[in-house]
Amino acid sequence: MANIKEIARIAGVSVTTVSRVLNNHPYVSKDKRTAVLETIEQLNYTRNMNAVHLITGRTGAVAVILPYINSFYFSVVMDGLAQAALAAQYRLILCQTNYVPEEELKVLDMLRNKEIDGVIIVSTALKPEVIESYTIYGPVVTCQNSGERQFSSVYIEHYAAFRHGLEYLYGKGHRRIGYCEGRQNGSSASIRQNAFQDFLAEKGLLFDPEWMIFDCMREEDGAEVARRLLDNPDRSGRPEAMMISGDHIAAGLIIEARKHGLKIPEDLAVMGFDNQPIGRLLGITTIDNQLYQMGEAAFGIIHEQINGSSLPVTRKLDYRIIERSTV
Amino acid sequence: MANIKEIARIAGVSVTTVSRVLNNHPYVSKDKRTAVLETIEQLNYTRNMNAVHLITGRTGAVAVILPYINSFYFSVVMDGLAQAALAAQYRLILCQTNYVPEEELKVLDMLRNKEIDGVIIVSTALKPEVIESYTIYGPVVTCQNSGERQFSSVYIEHYAAFRHGLEYLYGKGHRRIGYCEGRQNGSSASIRQNAFQDFLAEKGLLFDPEWMIFDCMREEDGAEVARRLLDNPDRSGRPEAMMISGDHIAAGLIIEARKHGLKIPEDLAVMGFDNQPIGRLLGITTIDNQLYQMGEAAFGIIHEQINGSSLPVTRKLDYRIIERSTV
């Protein structure tokens, strides 16, 4: 394949002129442009985009860090990101890192190495100070509140949202409340856990550590929780209501509980999270946390930042309780 | 930021030597390597990977074409792809194209422009001959049978799998069989549709066009099908069994049908597809089509092809019926 130098030599123009033509730069005379284009056609030259990126200092690509794509939460955020990226004609590099910090650092190194124009961090195992240290190389946006740190973020207030859900359960008369969560030490999970414990303490409600159940990732984990709760034949030793971060987990719990003859919400009230299709189907009362909009907004911010607005932006999205039939 | 030329000048070596050091090329003397590295450290030089890609002719990136990520099918294939890519330290560019041919062509153009080392097509609106025409620029792997076309593929036999499922329903005594499908003209969907119609014709079973329902994409679409079927108060005017391509659609149908007092499988047998978690939870009899393994295998093939094995490979994956309680 011919390179830019050869094209310049054959066309009788400078290398700069060839690169201007390749990049549709306006300051090229019509004659020179024609000469370059004809030479390219003769040589059947295929543009090497790496050369274009090297010249322009832009790659048109943004990396997305997330632990795994195969979950409702992440695939919906990714959907929002991807739709916005497509509209802006940007490319997304999907970096599924399984929460391995070294892999996440490799992605941030791509920003330093100018392989990408920005990084969107949907969920991470890295500490905020580490993320902040990479912002000298280019824009970074997280989908968790960046607080005082000097990078952009788009988020919902998990503390307020979760308390809101708990108030709703409380308002319906429930006093013995349990809680299902994903990763115990996830940053949003930790916030929700605090909201749960603070709420129980403030209301003077019983806190039973057995009713706070972690590592609920899949539908089957919800079913397992139902079996565990039902192991206790004494109804007063069981929660009356469950706050569950993920409608798919709530669905697993509800389907299994009904198999054992429990009435929802009479015997056990269930409040979900995420507003998933399975929740709509089963009539699960839930908290809509605008995952698609979060993805869209995150891309919108990184796109603005790549195009010059350098101050960090934080954008808070609303949440809302969707009342259905399980509370 | 310093560029390679400046580093070469300050270190007193050639540009070639600098690029060799950046790429860990063996043929550089220890002295020169030290000089370059010390200069880089002095100048706090950050490697521009676009220059590295330009020099090596490799990008370490593969593009993935799929219509949307937010569906069980595509997110599981993507999970398999991403795990395999992570293990091989390759980057995946997620191209969510909504089945828009122009967007899919832009991704293939990235192969021509040397922005990527290969393309994996999970599902596409493009014709096989169009895909084939791009293979002169680099390796392409599809997740649908490429047949006689000169590109690689990894697939399950949808015709055989679907017939197998229908034989299973038939073996259980069902004669009035209906069918729910996604896109009417999708390439795998067309194959399944043929399998369905061929099977009914061969067995001399009633084919009622009202019982072949397209555009079932979401859980709610399954619930809508249940309502439509129940609109007919005459039970003999309704199918006894439904073949449904997607356990989430089957789940929607089952949950809605039960709300209306139907017993599954006594009043209506349901056979799903994809072996999804919601299917395990509801005990849906289904066909496992190894989506995760499909993603893994597709990446494995493209990785081999990037590293030199140029002949197209087709890899057929097994499917299996998982007997549960809805047939």
Side-chain angles (χ1 to χ4, degrees), chain A residues 46-47 49-50 78-79 83 89 91-92 94 96 98 106 110 112-115 220 280, chain B residues 46-47 49-50 79 83 89 91-92 94 96 98 106 110 112-115 220 280:
Chain A
T46 298
R47 186 160 83 144
M49 284 305 294
N50 297 302
M78 193 71 204
D79 188 22
Q83 288 296 336
Q89 291 291 305
R91 277 169 288 115
L92 294 181
L94 175 69
Q96 178 168 295
N98 303 331
K106 281 183 198 164
M110 288 167 65
R112 181 161 62 186
N113 293 339
K114 305 202 175 302
E115 291 176 272
E220 285 89 342
R280 285 198 285 282
Chain B
T46 297
R47 185 160 85 146
M49 284 304 294
N50 297 302
D79 188 21
Q83 288 297 336
Q89 291 292 304
R91 278 169 289 116
L92 294 181
L94 175 68
Q96 177 168 295
N98 303 331
K106 281 182 197 164
M110 288 166 65
R112 182 161 63 187
N113 293 339
K114 305 201 177 302
E115 291 177 272
E220 286 89 341
R280 285 198 285 281

Side-chain angles (χ1 to χ4, degrees), chain B residues 41-314:
Chain B
E41 215 177 306
Q42 275 167 34
L43 294 172
N44 193 18
Y45 174 76
T46 297
R47 185 160 85 146
N48 186 318
M49 284 304 294
N50 297 302
V52 175
H53 297 161
L54 191 58
I55 294 161
T56 61
R58 286 281 177 82
T59 64
V62 166
V64 178
I65 295 177
L66 48 73
Y68 36 79
I69 189 68
N70 176 23
S71 86
F72 178 83
Y73 186 100
F74 294 119
S75 69
V76 175
V77 174
M78 193 71 203
D79 188 21
L81 283 168
Q83 288 297 336
L86 184 64
Q89 291 292 304
Y90 249 76
R91 278 169 289 116
L92 294 181
I93 299 173
L94 175 68
C95 305
Q96 177 168 295
T97 59
N98 303 331
Y99 287 124
V100 175
E102 300 80 59
E103 295 301 335
E104 300 186 348
L105 287 173
K106 281 182 197 164
V107 180
L108 287 165
D109 279 335
M110 288 166 65
L111 191 61
R112 182 161 63 187
N113 293 339
K114 305 201 177 302
E115 291 177 272
I116 48 176
D117 298 340
V119 177
I120 294 167
I121 301 178
V122 182
S123 187
T124 181
L126 297 176
K127 294 201 188 317
E129 55 267 34
V130 176
I131 296 170
E132 194 180 53
S133 72
Y134 276 86
T135 57
I136 55 166
Y137 302 114
V140 177
V141 176
T142 63
C143 294
Q144 288 157 348
N145 192 349
S146 55
E148 299 298 304
R149 296 288 170 182
Q150 290 301 301
F151 52 86
S152 298
S153 63
V154 49
Y155 62 96
I156 71 151
E157 291 182 304
H158 282 263
Y159 191 89
F162 229 57
R163 292 230 15 169
H164 205 126
L166 290 161
E167 290 280 3
Y168 183 83
L169 289 173
Y170 190 85
K172 293 276 183 177
H174 300 296
R175 297 294 177 267
R176 297 198 311 276
I177 302 175
Y179 165 40
C180 290
E181 183 54 83
R183 292 189 313 146
Q184 182 159 7
N185 300 317
S187 76
S188 298
S190 299
I191 293 167
R192 290 192 292 261
Q193 196 181 329
N194 288 339
F196 179 70
Q197 294 191 273
D198 289 355
F199 182 83
L200 295 193
E202 283 170 33
K203 297 287 185 190
L205 302 182
L206 171 72
F207 170 70
D208 184 337
E210 298 261 314
W211 295 356
M212 191 159 77
I213 302 161
F214 292 99
D215 299 317
C216 295
M217 311 303 282
R218 301 264 158 214
E219 287 79 349
E220 286 89 341
D221 299 324
E224 176 58 32
V225 169
R227 286 188 290 271
R228 253 169 83 176
L229 294 177
L230 287 163
D231 255 359
N232 192 335
D234 173 19
R235 217 181 126 168
S236 68
R238 298 198 307 238
E240 300 161 321
M242 292 296 293
M243 186 79 194
I244 301 182
S245 75
D247 285 346
H248 59 305
I249 312 291
L253 186 144
I254 288 169
I255 289 169
E256 186 69 18
R258 282 184 178 152
K259 272 187 204 161
H260 291 83
L262 256 67
K263 286 204 171 66
I264 312 291
E266 295 81 355
D267 299 325
L268 182 68
V270 177
M271 176 114 196
F273 207 75
D274 289 349
N275 191 19
Q276 302 183 16
I278 185 66
R280 285 198 285 281
L281 206 61
L282 291 171
I284 300 174
T285 298
T286 190
I287 298 173
D288 182 6
N289 46 0
Q290 300 208 69
L291 298 174
Y292 181 88
Q293 290 79 358
M294 183 177 283
E296 266 190 333
F299 184 82
I301 293 172
I302 206 105
H303 196 226
E304 283 165 21
Q305 303 239 308
I306 290 166
N307 291 299
S309 73
S310 60
L311 282 177
V313 176
T314 54

Side-chain angles (χ1 to χ4, degrees), chain A residues 169-231:
Chain A
L169 288 173
Y170 190 86
K172 293 277 183 176
H174 300 296
R175 295 295 176 267
R176 297 198 310 278
I177 303 175
Y179 165 41
C180 290
E181 184 53 83
R183 291 190 312 146
Q184 183 159 6
N185 300 316
S187 75
S188 299
S190 299
I191 293 168
R192 290 192 293 260
Q193 196 183 329
N194 289 339
F196 179 70
Q197 293 191 273
D198 291 354
F199 182 82
L200 295 193
E202 283 170 34
K203 296 286 184 191
L205 302 182
L206 171 71
F207 170 69
D208 184 337
E210 298 260 314
W211 296 355
M212 190 160 78
I213 302 160
F214 292 99
D215 299 317
C216 295
M217 311 303 282
R218 300 266 158 212
E219 287 80 349
E220 285 89 342
D221 299 324
E224 177 58 32
V225 169
R227 286 189 291 271
R228 254 170 81 176
L229 294 177
L230 287 163
D231 255 358

Side-chain angles (χ1 to χ4, degrees), chain A residues 19 23 49-60:
Chain A
S19 97
N23 289 290
M49 284 305 294
N50 297 302
V52 175
H53 298 160
L54 192 60
I55 294 161
T56 61
R58 287 282 178 80
T59 64

Side-chain angles (χ1 to χ4, degrees), chain A residues 301-321:
Chain A
I301 294 172
I302 206 105
H303 196 228
E304 283 165 21
Q305 305 239 308
I306 290 166
N307 291 300
S309 72
S310 60
L311 283 177
V313 176
T314 55
R315 199 163 294 163
K316 195 173 78 180
L317 297 177
D318 287 335
Y319 61 85
R320 66 189 171 110
I321 291 180

Side-chain angles (χ1 to χ4, degrees), chain A residues 161 165 243 271-275 285-289 319-321:
Chain A
M243 185 79 195
M271 176 114 198
F273 207 75
D274 289 350
N275 190 19
T285 299
T286 190
I287 298 172
D288 182 6
N289 47 359
Y319 61 85
R320 66 189 171 110
I321 291 180

Side-chain angles (χ1 to χ4, degrees), chain A residues 105-106 108-112 129-140:
Chain A
L105 288 173
K106 281 183 198 164
L108 286 165
D109 279 334
M110 288 167 65
L111 191 61
R112 181 161 62 186
E129 55 268 33
V130 176
I131 296 170
E132 193 181 52
S133 72
Y134 275 87
T135 57
I136 56 166
Y137 302 114
V140 177

